Coordinates of all heavy atoms in Angstrom, one line a residue:
L158 N -14.8 -0.8 -30.5 CA -13.9 -1.5 -31.4 C -12.5 -1.2 -30.8 O -12.1 0.0 -30.5 CB -13.9 -0.8 -32.9 CG -15.2 -1.1 -33.6 CD1 -15.1 -0.5 -35.0 CD2 -15.6 -2.5 -33.7
D159 N -11.7 -2.2 -30.7 CA -10.4 -2.2 -30.1 C -9.5 -1.6 -31.1 O -9.8 -1.7 -32.4 CB -10.0 -3.6 -29.6 CG -10.7 -4.0 -28.4 OD1 -11.2 -3.3 -27.6 OD2 -10.9 -5.3 -28.3
P160 N -8.2 -1.2 -30.8 CA -7.3 -0.7 -31.8 C -7.0 -1.8 -32.8 O -6.8 -2.9 -32.5 CB -6.0 -0.3 -30.9 CG -6.6 0.0 -29.5 CD -7.7 -1.0 -29.4
G161 N -6.8 -1.3 -34.0 CA -6.6 -2.2 -35.2 C -7.5 -2.0 -36.3 O -8.2 -1.1 -36.3
R162 N -7.3 -2.9 -37.3 CA -8.1 -3.0 -38.5 C -9.5 -3.8 -38.3 O -9.4 -4.9 -37.9 CB -7.4 -3.4 -39.7 CG -8.2 -3.5 -41.0 CD -7.3 -3.8 -42.1 NE -6.5 -2.8 -42.6 CZ -5.9 -2.7 -43.8 NH1 -5.9 -3.7 -44.6 NH2 -5.1 -1.5 -44.0
H163 N -10.6 -3.2 -38.7 CA -11.8 -3.9 -38.6 C -12.6 -3.7 -39.9 O -12.4 -2.7 -40.6 CB -12.7 -3.3 -37.4 CG -12.0 -3.3 -36.0 ND1 -12.2 -4.4 -35.2 CD2 -11.3 -2.4 -35.5 CE1 -11.5 -4.1 -34.2 NE2 -10.9 -3.0 -34.2
Y164 N -13.5 -4.7 -40.2 CA -14.2 -4.7 -41.3 C -15.7 -4.6 -41.0 O -16.2 -5.5 -40.3 CB -13.9 -6.0 -42.2 CG -12.5 -6.1 -42.8 CD1 -11.5 -6.8 -42.0 CD2 -12.2 -5.5 -43.9 CE1 -10.3 -6.9 -42.5 CE2 -11.0 -5.6 -44.4 CZ -10.0 -6.2 -43.7 OH -8.7 -6.3 -44.2
L165 N -16.3 -3.6 -41.5 CA -17.7 -3.3 -41.3 C -18.5 -3.7 -42.5 O -18.8 -2.8 -43.4 CB -17.9 -1.8 -41.0 CG -17.0 -1.2 -39.9 CD1 -17.3 0.2 -39.7 CD2 -17.1 -2.0 -38.6
W166 N -18.9 -4.9 -42.5 CA -19.6 -5.4 -43.8 C -21.0 -4.9 -43.9 O -21.5 -4.8 -45.1 CB -19.5 -6.9 -43.8 CG -18.1 -7.5 -43.8 CD1 -17.6 -8.3 -42.8 CD2 -17.2 -7.4 -44.8 NE1 -16.2 -8.7 -43.1 CE2 -16.0 -8.1 -44.4 CE3 -17.2 -6.8 -46.1 CZ2 -14.9 -8.2 -45.2 CZ3 -16.0 -7.0 -46.9 CH2 -14.9 -7.6 -46.5
H167 N -21.5 -4.6 -42.7 CA -22.9 -4.2 -42.7 C -22.9 -2.7 -43.4 O -22.2 -1.9 -43.0 CB -23.6 -4.1 -41.5 CG -25.1 -4.1 -41.4 ND1 -25.9 -2.9 -41.6 CD2 -26.0 -5.0 -41.3 CE1 -27.1 -3.0 -41.5 NE2 -27.2 -4.3 -41.3
P168 N -23.9 -2.5 -44.3 CA -23.8 -1.1 -45.1 C -24.1 0.0 -44.2 O -23.7 1.2 -44.4 CB -24.9 -1.3 -46.1 CG -24.9 -2.8 -46.3 CD -24.7 -3.4 -45.0
W169 N -25.0 -0.3 -43.1 CA -25.4 1.0 -42.2 C -24.6 0.9 -40.8 O -25.2 1.4 -40.0 CB -26.9 0.8 -42.0 CG -27.5 1.3 -43.2 CD1 -27.9 2.6 -43.5 CD2 -28.0 0.6 -44.3 NE1 -28.6 2.7 -44.7 CE2 -28.7 1.5 -45.3 CE3 -28.0 -0.9 -44.6 CZ2 -29.2 1.0 -46.4 CZ3 -28.5 -1.2 -45.9 CH2 -29.2 -0.3 -46.8
S170 N -23.4 0.1 -40.8 CA -22.6 0.2 -39.6 C -21.6 1.2 -39.8 O -20.9 1.2 -40.9 CB -22.0 -1.2 -39.4 OG -23.0 -2.2 -39.0
R171 N -21.3 2.0 -38.8 CA -20.2 3.1 -38.9 C -19.7 3.3 -37.5 O -20.3 3.1 -36.6 CB -20.8 4.3 -39.5 CG -21.9 5.1 -38.8 CD -22.5 6.2 -39.5 NE -23.1 5.8 -40.7 CZ -23.5 6.6 -41.7 NH1 -23.2 8.0 -41.5 NH2 -24.1 6.2 -42.8
V172 N -18.4 4.0 -37.6 CA -17.7 4.5 -36.4 C -18.1 5.8 -36.2 O -17.6 6.7 -37.0 CB -16.2 4.2 -36.4 CG1 -15.6 4.7 -35.2 CG2 -15.8 2.7 -36.7
D173 N -19.0 6.2 -35.2 CA -19.4 7.6 -35.0 C -18.4 8.3 -34.1 O -18.4 9.6 -34.3 CB -20.8 7.5 -34.3 CG -21.9 7.4 -35.3 OD1 -21.6 7.4 -36.5 OD2 -23.0 7.0 -34.9
F174 N -17.7 7.6 -33.2 CA -16.8 8.3 -32.3 C -15.5 7.5 -32.2 O -15.5 6.3 -32.2 CB -17.4 8.5 -30.9 CG -18.6 9.3 -30.9 CD1 -19.8 8.6 -31.0 CD2 -18.8 10.6 -31.0 CE1 -21.1 9.4 -31.0 CE2 -19.8 11.4 -30.9 CZ -21.0 10.7 -30.9
V175 N -14.3 8.3 -32.1 CA -13.1 7.7 -31.8 C -12.6 8.3 -30.5 O -12.3 9.5 -30.5 CB -12.0 7.8 -32.9 CG1 -10.6 7.3 -32.4 CG2 -12.4 7.1 -34.1
V176 N -12.5 7.6 -29.4 CA -12.2 8.2 -28.0 C -11.0 7.7 -27.6 O -10.7 6.6 -27.6 CB -13.4 7.7 -27.0 CG1 -13.2 8.3 -25.7 CG2 -14.8 8.0 -27.6
D177 N -10.1 8.7 -27.1 CA -8.8 8.3 -26.5 C -8.9 7.8 -25.0 O -9.4 8.5 -24.1 CB -8.0 9.6 -26.5 CG -6.6 9.3 -26.1 OD1 -6.2 8.3 -25.8 OD2 -5.7 10.3 -26.3
T178 N -8.7 6.5 -24.9 CA -8.8 6.0 -23.6 C -7.6 5.5 -22.9 O -7.7 4.9 -21.9 CB -9.8 4.7 -23.8 OG1 -9.1 3.8 -24.7 CG2 -11.2 5.0 -24.3
A179 N -6.4 5.7 -23.5 CA -5.2 5.4 -23.0 C -4.3 6.6 -22.4 O -3.6 6.5 -21.6 CB -4.3 4.6 -24.0
T180 N -4.7 7.8 -22.9 CA -3.8 9.0 -22.6 C -4.4 9.6 -21.3 O -5.7 9.7 -21.2 CB -3.9 10.0 -23.7 OG1 -3.4 9.3 -24.9 CG2 -3.0 11.1 -23.4
E181 N -3.5 10.0 -20.4 CA -3.8 10.8 -19.2 C -3.9 12.3 -19.7 O -2.8 12.8 -19.9 CB -3.0 10.6 -18.0 CG -3.2 9.2 -17.5 CD -2.0 9.0 -16.3 OE1 -1.3 9.9 -16.0 OE2 -2.2 8.0 -15.7
I182 N -5.1 12.9 -19.7 CA -5.2 14.2 -20.4 C -5.0 15.3 -19.3 O -5.7 15.2 -18.3 CB -6.6 14.3 -21.0 CG1 -6.8 13.1 -22.1 CG2 -6.8 15.6 -21.6 CD1 -8.1 13.1 -22.6
P183 N -3.9 16.2 -19.5 CA -3.8 17.2 -18.4 C -4.9 18.3 -18.6 O -5.3 18.7 -19.8 CB -2.4 17.8 -18.8 CG -2.3 17.5 -20.3 CD -3.1 16.2 -20.6
Y184 N -5.3 18.8 -17.4 CA -6.4 19.8 -17.4 C -5.9 20.9 -16.4 O -5.5 20.6 -15.2 CB -7.8 19.1 -17.1 CG -8.9 20.2 -17.0 CD1 -9.5 20.4 -18.3 CD2 -9.5 20.7 -15.9 CE1 -10.6 21.3 -18.3 CE2 -10.4 21.6 -15.9 CZ -11.0 21.9 -17.2 OH -12.1 22.8 -17.2

Side-chain angles (χ1 to χ4, degrees):
L158 300 179
D159 295 330
R162 173 173 288 188
H163 301 271
Y164 292 95
L165 310 179
W166 299 113
H167 196 279
W169 285 270
S170 293
R171 62 183 61 190
V172 179
D173 283 345
F174 301 97
V175 176
V176 184
D177 189 354
T178 57
T180 306
E181 293 183 350
I182 303 172
Y184 183 83

